[in-house]
Amino acid sequence: MERRRMDAALLVLLLGHLAAALEVPLDLPQPPTITHQSPKDYIIDPRENIIIHCEAKGKPHPSFSWTRNGTHFNIDEDTNVSMKPHSGTLVVDISGAKAEQYECVYQCTARNKHGTAVSNNIVVRQSRSPLWSKERINPIVVQEGVSLVLPCRPPAGLPPPIIFWMDNNFQRLPQSNRVSQSLNGDLYFSNVLREDSRNDYICYARFPYTQTIQQKQPISLKVLSLDAINDTMAAFYNDTDLFSDDPADERKPTFLVPSGPSSSKTVLRGQVLEMECIAEGLPTPDISWSKVSGELPAKRTYFLHYQRTLRIVNVSESDAGDYRCTARNKLGTVHHNIHVMVKAAPYWISAQPRNLVLAPGENGVLTCRASGTPKPSITWAMNGIPIENSPKDLSRKVEDDTIIFTDVQTGSSAVYQCNVSNPYGYLLSNAFINVLSEPPRVLTPANKVYQVIKNHPALMDCASFGSPIPKITWFKDSRSSTLDGDPYILHDNGTIEIHTAQAHNAGKYTCVARNSLGKEENHILLEVKEPTRILKQPEYKVVQRGRSAVFQCKVKHDPSLVPTMTWLKDDGELPDDERFYVDSDSLTITEVSEIDAGVYTCIMNTTLDHDSASAELTVVEATPTPAVVTEQPDPPTDLELTDQKKRSVQLTWTPGDEHNSPIMKFLIQYEDSLHHRGHWHNLTEVAGTRTTAHLKLSPYAHYTFRVLGLNAVGLSRPSFPSRVYKTEPAAPDENPTGVQGLGTEHDNLVISWKPLTGLQSNGPGLHYRVMWRQKAVNSDWNTASVANTSKFVVSGTPTFVPYELKVQAVNDHGAAPDPAIAHGYSGEDLPVAAPNNVQVMVLNSSLAEVHWDPVPSKFIRGHLKGYKVYYWKERSLHKHNPHHVEKEILTFSGNHSHGKLPGLHPYSLYSFNVRIYNGKGEGPPSPTQEFETPEGVPGAPTSLLVTNTDLDSLTLEWNPPHVRNGRITGYTLKYQPGNTQTSHPIARPPPHHPHNNAMPASPFRNVNSSVGDDGALISWEYWGPEKSVYVEYKLQNSEGEEEWQKELVNGSQNVMLKGLKGGLSYRVRLVAKGHHDQPLHQSQELLVKVPAVASRQVDIATQGWFIGLMCAIALLILILLIICFIQRNKGGKYPVKEKEDAHTDPEFQPMKDDDCTFGEYSDNEDHKPLKGSRTPSNGTVKRGDSDDSLVDYGEGGDGQFNEDGSFIGQYSGKSVSRETAEGHESSEAPSPINAMNSLNSFV
């Protein structure tokens, strides 16, 4: 029991000593310490040489050896392997060997005479990107609505490949909550649609180490409806349907991944936990996640792949438990429980074991505190040998995770290895114990100078080393006493502090490091500086506009400190204006204007302190001055370049003649012949009193300079150019500006920027390194390099997701500084939700207010632009008003939740809906709602007539207003005899004839009729409440109880009665009926006379145009007849006869005189078939086919002959058809008599 108490007390003492452990200077003896080694799991690129790192320090410098797969690795026997000098790093030249033969487990050993340190086991494996195995993928034909899995099954690579699906155009295939990729790379369809049909579903595998991409054979998918599949497959299956008669019905969800009601998963502490649930169903199921045994860690939880994947990063033991994923659609819900077990590879509870430096006879402790799940085992080794096999050491005691050293002696130095392991990993730590007898040494540089401002704190260091640990004491100047009281504060690490330094604290300080082996001292100088003070402060100034203002700022500072003057205007930087000139102790502002008014502050900075003072400038109107005739100055001369540096040069010149006007400033211009030959640019301006300018330049430019002088008249001519000054190339100093990210499509991100100019490029080979990543996801930056462009398109992005963007300029000499992060969004898509809880409040007859709940941001899918209210008038509530459907739109920009609809029509029925819109367009409308506006004030009557005026009465008639704005309940009649006015309200509408007698009971007024060609038009005005209005009519002299014929005319004020018989009279009346078909009101009867129907044929014989036309036709026919008679009298032949003679059928020749024919008027002349005869199909008439006589050509039974004996009977009124041998033609020559008869028939 006493022994345990002593051990506990010793442990507390040794832990205190551990906290003060020291680093051993490298010139002192010490065991090896490994400073750099390759990772435990080392994946190499098989295309490059293998480099296995092992670096260590020690005194003497350690030697190195290696084991491979647990046995000694003789490097000298392998010509492909070499070790770097003064290092243990192996270099394997794979040009003469295959990388596969070096896939082994390596361990490095660093040793010297004081001990041996070992590295971790380094497992070397080469990265692999195997090709996809050859396979034939048959086209997939599925029924619409079923679930589907497109397998990827990439080749096993090292490390595993990154899987993504694309099409032939290298565009990512769109994914959604219906179509998504699983963690193993397969593409899952909860249900397929017709639009999923395509022949280029391609799975790609990207292997990150080799930067190669492998492609699977394209998969062809065709989604058909049930009828289409049956029609397609019937030919192959004897007209038997491939599927059942029922289509893919809606169904409750079922899980595709994982299977069964529950599963389990094991994850290691600190790693990433990913669980996925993919369900099929119709409609598409929604996935949700919960933790059965607690809450999800909000800051470490992410939902991916449209809620199908739950990711928890940096897993801890608290994440163990049961998780539930739920898939639901409108038909049902299904659950799957996942039991998560969290294991832990070993990890350090506190810091890993630290090196111990002990003097002979001292005590110490090495502690190896680690944990894990399951609890790890701890083993110790000394110099790489298990401690139980190491030489016995009475000063060493091993207790589980602690080694206690007591009364150590010289020669006990060694390196101890602590190995903590469980089934999920191991930790290996080297910590040495170095037994040294070393006198003190001070590590702080000798004679170091500390500078401090008076009345400020002063801190002076004295870092030291020794074994045993030295004690630090401080002295000042004469060393009369140690500095361990006020005003000095001594810290544990040897630093001394003076809380408020004064001038007398300056001087030489000595720190002494002392232990049992000796002492060492170091001298330190403390300088107490005078504070910086402004002696002459800027003064308040009132300056006329156009004059100059000068602020003085005289400063006193410690002469050993270098001051720097800075001026501010209104606590900001001075304007970038050449009128402001800063000298060592003043600020000059030339040509002062009103914008220069303000507070100016001078700040004097040194390396230790600063001081400042301010003054105000007021600008007033200038007083007029007499004009002076001056000229512009002559150009400067004698340009010289001096003090030439990489990025600056000194330019001097001689001013030209001022010509009676002082030079106010010089303008310095440059030409860059490398980038913009022939173009001069303004570089800087200096005051007119100066002849030297220090010019800051850009790299990679060929500069030529010239100077111009400016006075009150204007600029001088440019000076002659200086010689060319070339600056060397360098990396860019700045990055592109105006970086922004916008999406042009719902699944892309367009990154754009303002490119650098040639002068800003600073060197050849300018290109841009574009970097992007999602803002809300802790992911690495994606990088792409582009040149000669100012934009880059990222495809396959989620819809409207914030991104962080960077664009860095790079040239052949390096990259610009790390660029600032810009922000952008991927492309927008149309909103997918309509506003909810839409309500309307009617404020008055022409104004309504619509309210709605804002749409949640996740459904907007873009930048919210506002809301639109679509509204339209369905109809007026007054039955006489027509139907209106004119949609109007009111837009409310921004995130509004209500809006007013002005300009509504009173007493009307309106419909409306509300839609949200973003930068892409409008979302779906809310359900259409209706509201009614109340009645409004009616308009004035459209007319007022005075009729039937008598001595004591008159009749007034008026028409109702066009704009009724409700149901008119009456009119107010105002009249005045002479200068008086009286108002009389009239209760019932509308009193067209307000006589002295009572108001007529009938609601029908102004019943009129008119008879036209189409029938009888009956019109009226009706003011009654009944909805069923009829027009009834019957014959005037009808016998018995003949029923009235009626027509329903609801909502109209006129009707056309058709079908009335001409020459008869009809009784017509209007009837308004109630619900029980009882006549309530009827009008007075009208007597409508329908005139006899005349011939409806238009008598065109009396029309002038017709008479003229007939006369022209008769005249033309008469002329033709005269010509024919003249030709006959001359014995000539008709042209038709000549043409027929020329084309006579050889089988049909005309008859001769001896054949008893009439010469030229034979059948062969005209080939006219006689009455009752038929013409052969070939257009000829054979002999003997016709028995007709010449009488048939006459008008009666007698033929007619002229006095000369010619036959003219063929010109009678009968139309004779004929066919020529060339074709079928119609030839008719009407006689004048028949022509006149035809004319008379029209007349």
Side-chain angles (χ1 to χ4, degrees):
M1 188 70 178
E2 186 66 24
R3 175 65 178 169
R4 291 185 178 178
R5 289 197 189 100
M6 293 179 60
D7 289 344
L10 182 60
L11 179 60
V12 173
L13 176 64
L14 295 179
L15 287 175
H17 184 85
L18 177 64
L22 301 175
E23 279 291 326
V24 182
L26 286 178
D27 61 334
L28 295 179
Q30 57 184 294
T33 299
I34 292 180
T35 58
H36 178 56
Q37 58 182 314
S38 294
K40 296 178 182 178
D41 192 5
Y42 188 26
I43 300 177
I44 60 171
D45 190 339
R47 299 168 299 183
E48 299 177 356
N49 289 342
I50 304 173
I51 300 177
I52 309 175
H53 294 280
C54 183
E55 304 288 344
K57 66 178 182 178
K59 183 69 174 182
H61 190 73
S63 60
F64 298 89
S65 63
W66 287 84
T67 62
R68 184 167 69 174
N69 294 334
T71 61
H72 176 68
F73 182 26
N74 192 342
I75 299 173
D76 296 334
E77 293 180 357
D78 194 330
T79 58
N80 297 316
V81 182
S82 62
M83 185 182 298
K84 291 185 177 180
H86 309 292
S87 168
T89 299
L90 294 182
V91 179
V92 181
D93 184 5
I94 64 170
S95 61
K98 293 184 179 181
E100 289 88 344
Q101 68 186 72
Y102 294 98
E103 291 184 296
C104 303
V105 180
Y106 296 85
Q107 188 173 38
C108 173
T109 301
R111 61 170 52 89
N112 63 14
K113 65 181 181 179
H114 301 294
T116 300
V118 296
S119 70
N120 293 320
N121 285 330
I122 303 171
V123 180
V124 176
R125 296 183 295 170
Q126 68 165 334
S127 61
R128 288 179 170 84
S129 54
L131 296 176
W132 240 295
S133 59
K134 296 289 185 179
E135 60 178 333
R136 177 183 177 86
I137 302 178
N138 295 323
I140 299 175
V141 180
V142 296
Q143 178 185 358
E144 184 177 12
V146 302
S147 62
L148 178 66
V149 181
L150 297 184
C152 180
R153 293 194 288 269
L158 185 68
I162 300 171
I163 306 301
F164 50 94
W165 288 80
M166 303 180 76
D167 59 14
N168 280 330
N169 297 322
F170 298 100
Q171 297 297 316
R172 286 188 179 270
L173 294 175
Q175 297 189 21
S176 63
N177 63 340
R178 185 180 62 85
V179 183
S180 62
Q181 178 181 317
S182 64
L183 295 178
N184 69 353
D186 293 345
L187 192 63
Y188 281 79
F189 294 78
S190 295
N191 50 78
V192 293
L193 301 178
R194 297 287 296 276
E195 53 263 29
D196 294 329
S197 298
R198 60 190 307 153
N199 57 5
D200 57 350
Y201 284 96
I202 306 175
C203 182
Y204 289 86
R206 181 169 67 86
F207 298 90
Y209 266 72
T210 58
Q211 294 299 318
T212 58
I213 296 178
Q214 302 292 347
Q215 172 185 340
K216 185 183 178 73
Q217 290 294 325
I219 300 176
S220 177
L221 171 62
K222 188 170 186 180
V223 180
L224 300 177
S225 64
L226 182 62
D227 293 338
I229 295 179
N230 290 333
D231 293 342
T232 304
M233 305 303 296
F236 300 96
Y237 295 96
N238 298 323
D239 295 331
T240 300
D241 290 346
L242 181 62
F243 296 103
S244 64
D245 294 336
D246 297 328
D249 292 331
E250 293 184 344
R251 58 192 181 276
K252 62 183 290 187
T254 58
F255 281 112
L256 299 174
V257 173
S259 60
S262 63
S263 59
S264 62
K265 190 175 185 66
T266 300
V267 64
L268 294 182
R269 176 183 181 271
Q271 294 186 353
V272 177
L273 169 63
E274 286 187 330
M275 297 175 286
E276 69 174 349
C277 282
I278 302 177
E280 67 94 16
L282 190 66
T284 301
D286 294 322
I287 305 295
S288 60
W289 291 87
S290 62
K291 187 176 182 183
V292 178
S293 55
E295 298 292 332
L296 293 173
K299 295 183 179 180
R300 297 185 289 113
T301 301
Y302 301 94
F303 298 99
L304 308 176
H305 304 146
Y306 302 93
Q307 299 284 326
R308 282 161 167 74
T309 302
L310 171 64
R311 174 183 290 175
I312 300 177
V313 299
N314 193 20
V315 171
S316 64
E317 287 80 356
S318 63
D319 296 322
D322 292 326
Y323 293 80
R324 172 175 293 175
C325 65
T326 302
R328 62 168 52 89
N329 62 14
K330 66 181 182 180
L331 298 181
T333 302
V334 64
H335 305 283
H336 183 91
N337 291 338
I338 303 175
H339 180 68
V340 175
M341 295 174 288
V342 177
K343 304 295 182 179
Y347 59 92
W348 300 114
I349 296 177
S350 58
Q352 56 183 317
R354 293 186 293 179
N355 298 329
L356 280 180
V357 178
L358 300 176
E362 286 190 320
N363 304 324
V365 62
L366 285 178
T367 303
C368 185
R369 295 285 175 85
S371 183
T373 305
K375 183 178 179 180
S377 61
I378 299 176
T379 59
W380 289 93
M382 186 185 77
N383 295 330
I385 301 174
I387 199 165
E388 57 270 15
N389 300 331
S390 301
K392 300 296 182 181
D393 189 345
L394 297 178
S395 64
R396 179 183 68 219
K397 181 180 180 181
V398 179
E399 292 187 355
D400 194 18
D401 60 355
T402 304
I403 301 180
I404 301 173
F405 299 94
T406 56
D407 192 20
V408 296
Q409 300 299 321
T410 304
S412 297
S413 298
V415 181
Y416 289 86
Q417 288 81 34
C418 170
N419 191 315
V420 186
S421 63
N422 69 7
Y424 300 101
Y426 73 92
L427 293 174
L428 177 64
S429 177
N430 291 276
F432 66 68
I433 175 172
N434 193 13
V435 181
L436 284 177
S437 294
E438 183 67 23
R441 62 170 65 184
V442 178
L443 303 180
T444 300
N447 299 315
K448 184 176 181 180
V449 178
Y450 287 87
Q451 294 180 335
V452 64
I453 295 295
K454 184 179 178 181
N455 297 323
H456 286 67
L459 291 169
M460 294 173 286
D461 296 327
C462 185
S464 62
F465 175 81
S467 182
I469 297 176
K471 180 181 179 181
I472 305 298
T473 55
W474 285 86
F475 300 92
K476 182 178 184 296
D477 297 335
S478 62
R479 299 191 184 187
S480 58
S481 61
T482 60
L483 306 177
D484 55 3
D486 187 65
Y488 301 103
I489 302 173
L490 187 61
H491 295 277
D492 293 338
N493 63 355
T495 299
I496 192 170
E497 178 182 357
I498 303 174
H499 183 67
T500 304
Q502 300 296 326
H504 65 270
N505 295 130
K508 182 178 180 181
Y509 288 79
T510 302
C511 77
V512 179
R514 184 182 286 109
N515 67 10
S516 59
L517 300 179
K519 68 175 183 178
E520 181 173 324
E521 62 181 37
N522 189 32
H523 301 292
I524 293 173
L525 298 178
L526 174 63
E527 297 178 354
V528 180
K529 303 293 184 179
E530 288 295 325
T532 301
R533 292 290 179 264
I534 296 178
L535 301 179
K536 182 176 177 55
Q537 298 184 356
E539 298 178 350
Y540 173 75
K541 296 284 185 181
V542 178
V543 181
Q544 293 180 349
R545 184 164 55 87
R547 298 292 183 89
S548 296
V550 179
F551 290 104
Q552 299 290 331
C553 189
K554 301 291 185 179
V555 180
K556 177 185 177 182
H557 59 86
D558 194 285
S560 63
L561 301 178
V562 178
T564 302
M565 178 72 74
T566 302
W567 286 87
L568 303 177
K569 179 180 183 294
D570 296 330
D571 294 330
E573 294 184 357
L574 289 178
D576 186 12
D577 193 330
E578 66 276 3
R579 298 182 298 108
F580 290 77
Y581 172 67
V582 177
D583 208 344
S584 60
D585 57 0
S586 64
L587 168 66
T588 302
I589 308 173
T590 60
E591 296 183 2
V592 170
S593 63
E594 287 78 0
I595 62 173
D596 299 326
V599 177
Y600 290 84
T601 303
C602 73
I603 303 175
M604 182 60 72
N605 292 286
T606 67
T607 54
L608 297 179
D609 67 342
H610 71 278
D611 195 13
S612 62
S614 301
E616 185 177 358
L617 172 63
T618 301
V619 180
V620 297
E621 284 293 330
T623 57
T625 56
V628 178
V629 179
T630 56
E631 296 181 8
Q632 62 189 33
D634 289 340
T637 58
D638 303 325
L639 271 63
E640 293 186 5
L641 298 177
T642 59
D643 193 19
Q644 300 175 4
K645 298 180 180 179
K646 288 185 177 180
R647 295 203 178 191
S648 65
V649 70
Q650 192 86 3
L651 176 65
T652 61
W653 63 90
T654 301
D657 191 354
E658 296 180 347
H659 293 293
N660 299 323
S661 177
I663 296 178
M664 297 181 292
K665 61 182 177 181
F666 290 98
L667 173 64
I668 302 172
Q669 297 179 334
Y670 74 92
E671 177 198 26
D672 180 11
S673 58
L674 181 61
H675 300 105
H676 300 285
R677 179 180 295 274
H679 295 273
W680 289 91
H681 307 274
N682 295 338
L683 179 60
T684 187
E685 295 176 355
V686 298
T689 57
R690 301 180 59 183
T691 59
T692 301
H694 185 76
L695 307 179
K696 294 182 179 180
L697 308 178
S698 297
Y700 193 56
H702 297 173
Y703 285 100
T704 303
F705 303 99
R706 69 183 186 184
V707 183
L708 296 86
L710 176 67
N711 62 9
V713 179
L715 280 170
S716 69
R717 297 188 307 276
S719 66
F720 288 106
S722 68
R723 61 181 177 87
V724 177
Y725 181 67
K726 299 180 179 180
T727 55
E728 297 178 357
D733 296 323
E734 55 187 308
N735 289 299
T737 58
V739 178
Q740 61 180 355
L742 299 172
T744 58
E745 300 292 340
H746 68 89
D747 59 349
N748 75 357
L749 171 67
V750 180
I751 305 172
S752 60
W753 59 90
K754 181 180 179 182
L756 299 183
T757 63
L759 190 61
Q760 293 172 319
S761 66
N762 284 7
L766 176 66
H767 59 280
Y768 301 98
R769 184 179 296 142
V770 184
M771 294 164 278
W772 70 95
R773 68 180 180 187
Q774 287 192 30
K775 184 176 181 180
V777 179
N778 294 329
S779 60
D780 296 331
W781 288 94
N782 299 289
T783 304
S785 294
V786 296
N788 301 320
T789 185
S790 60
K791 70 176 182 179
F792 178 78
V793 180
V794 182
S795 301
T797 62
T799 301
F800 196 68
V801 171
Y803 276 82
E804 292 181 333
L805 316 170
K806 294 196 295 186
V807 180
Q808 187 177 32
V810 184
N811 64 17
D812 293 345
H813 293 267
D818 191 34
I821 295 178
H823 299 87
Y825 280 83
S826 57
E828 300 179 81
D829 205 348
L830 295 176
V832 296
N836 291 324
N837 195 23
V838 178
Q839 299 177 359
V840 63
M841 292 190 303
V842 179
L843 303 180
N844 54 46
S845 62
S846 61
L847 180 64
E849 189 173 49
V850 180
H851 292 257
W852 61 86
D853 290 343
V855 175
S857 58
K858 65 180 180 180
F859 299 120
I860 299 176
R861 304 205 298 179
H863 294 288
L864 172 62
K865 298 298 184 181
Y867 292 83
K868 292 184 179 181
V869 179
Y870 284 72
Y871 64 101
W872 59 95
K873 179 180 177 182
E874 293 284 0
R875 59 183 174 84
S876 172
L877 296 178
H878 195 287
K879 60 186 177 182
H880 291 287
N881 284 358
H883 181 74
H884 293 276
V885 185
E886 296 178 1
K887 288 190 177 181
E888 298 187 53
I889 304 173
L890 272 182
T891 301
F892 301 93
S893 300
N895 192 15
H896 285 271
S897 62
H898 65 277
K900 293 183 178 180
L901 308 181
L904 303 177
H905 293 282
Y907 202 57
S908 300
L909 176 65
Y910 277 85
S911 297
F912 75 98
N913 56 53
V914 185
R915 313 180 190 195
I916 189 173
Y917 72 101
N918 59 18
K920 190 72 172 181
E922 297 178 3
S926 65
T928 300
Q929 301 186 32
E930 295 182 346
F931 65 92
E932 296 179 358
T933 54
E935 293 182 304
V937 177
T942 55
S943 65
L944 176 63
L945 299 176
V946 178
T947 62
N948 301 330
T949 57
D950 296 327
L951 292 177
D952 57 350
S953 66
L954 55 84
T955 300
L956 298 180
E957 295 182 0
W958 61 85
N959 288 322
H962 287 304
V963 181
R964 306 194 182 191
N965 291 340
R967 185 181 300 280
I968 296 179
T969 59
Y971 292 84
T972 299
L973 175 63
K974 295 184 179 181
Y975 64 92
Q976 62 180 11
N979 296 327
T980 63
Q981 178 175 335
T982 305
S983 298
H984 291 278
I986 301 175
R988 293 185 57 83
H992 284 215
H993 303 282
H995 300 289
N996 292 333
N997 53 1
M999 178 69 59
S1002 173
F1004 295 99
R1005 306 298 302 170
N1006 290 344
V1007 182
N1008 296 308
S1009 66
S1010 62
V1011 179
D1013 294 337
D1014 296 331
L1017 178 64
I1018 311 300
S1019 61
W1020 65 92
E1021 293 181 0
Y1022 175 65
W1023 304 99
E1026 291 77 21
K1027 301 295 184 180
S1028 298
V1029 179
Y1030 298 87
V1031 171
E1032 298 183 343
Y1033 61 94
K1034 65 179 179 179
L1035 289 173
Q1036 179 184 13
N1037 299 322
S1038 59
E1039 297 180 357
E1041 296 296 330
E1042 180 183 351
E1043 293 186 358
W1044 291 81
Q1045 301 184 47
K1046 58 183 179 181
E1047 291 189 15
L1048 183 65
V1049 293
N1050 288 349
S1052 176
Q1053 295 189 10
N1054 59 73
V1055 67
M1056 179 68 72
L1057 298 180
K1058 299 182 178 181
L1060 303 182
K1061 297 180 180 180
L1064 300 177
S1065 296
Y1066 290 85
R1067 295 161 56 192
V1068 180
R1069 67 182 183 184
L1070 291 156
V1071 177
K1073 296 184 178 182
H1075 294 292
H1076 301 289
D1077 205 29
Q1078 298 296 325
L1080 297 180
H1081 301 286
Q1082 68 181 33
S1083 68
Q1084 296 180 356
E1085 293 185 7
L1086 287 179
L1087 187 62
V1088 178
K1089 296 181 179 180
V1090 182
V1093 180
S1095 174
R1096 302 190 61 85
Q1097 182 175 357
V1098 179
D1099 190 5
I1100 63 174
T1102 60
Q1103 302 297 319
W1105 62 271
F1106 183 76
I1107 296 174
L1109 178 62
M1110 292 297 101
C1111 292
I1113 293 175
L1115 181 60
L1116 179 60
I1117 294 174
L1118 182 60
I1119 294 173
L1120 291 175
L1121 291 175
I1122 294 173
I1123 294 175
C1124 291
F1125 283 126
I1126 294 174
Q1127 291 294 331
R1128 291 292 301 273
N1129 291 336
K1130 292 182 177 181
K1133 297 182 180 180
Y1134 290 102
V1136 177
K1137 175 69 171 89
E1138 296 174 356
K1139 188 178 296 186
E1140 291 174 348
D1141 290 342
H1143 298 84
T1144 303
D1145 192 333
E1147 296 181 1
F1148 184 74
Q1149 298 295 333
M1151 298 175 64
K1152 303 299 181 179
D1153 292 342
D1154 53 15
D1155 293 329
C1156 303
T1157 63
F1158 285 90
E1160 62 185 20
Y1161 296 102
S1162 66
D1163 289 345
N1164 188 48
E1165 177 182 329
D1166 298 313
H1167 302 301
K1168 296 180 180 179
L1170 303 181
K1171 292 182 180 180
S1173 66
R1174 296 182 179 178
T1175 305
S1177 59
N1178 60 1
T1180 62
V1181 181
K1182 297 182 180 180
R1183 296 178 183 178
D1185 287 346
S1186 178
D1187 297 331
D1188 294 340
S1189 67
L1190 294 177
V1191 179
D1192 292 333
Y1193 290 90
E1195 226 176 58
D1198 301 326
Q1200 298 181 7
F1201 291 86
N1202 284 339
E1203 294 177 355
D1204 58 358
S1206 63
F1207 178 70
I1208 63 172
Q1210 62 187 19
Y1211 294 99
S1212 63
K1214 291 187 178 182
S1215 175
V1216 182
S1217 299
R1218 57 184 299 272
E1219 284 184 32
T1220 64
E1222 294 179 351
H1224 303 283
E1225 295 180 1
S1226 177
S1227 175
E1228 179 178 353
S1231 68
I1233 298 174
N1234 287 341
M1236 293 305 297
N1237 289 338
S1238 299
L1239 182 61
N1240 291 333
S1241 68
F1242 283 98
V1243 177

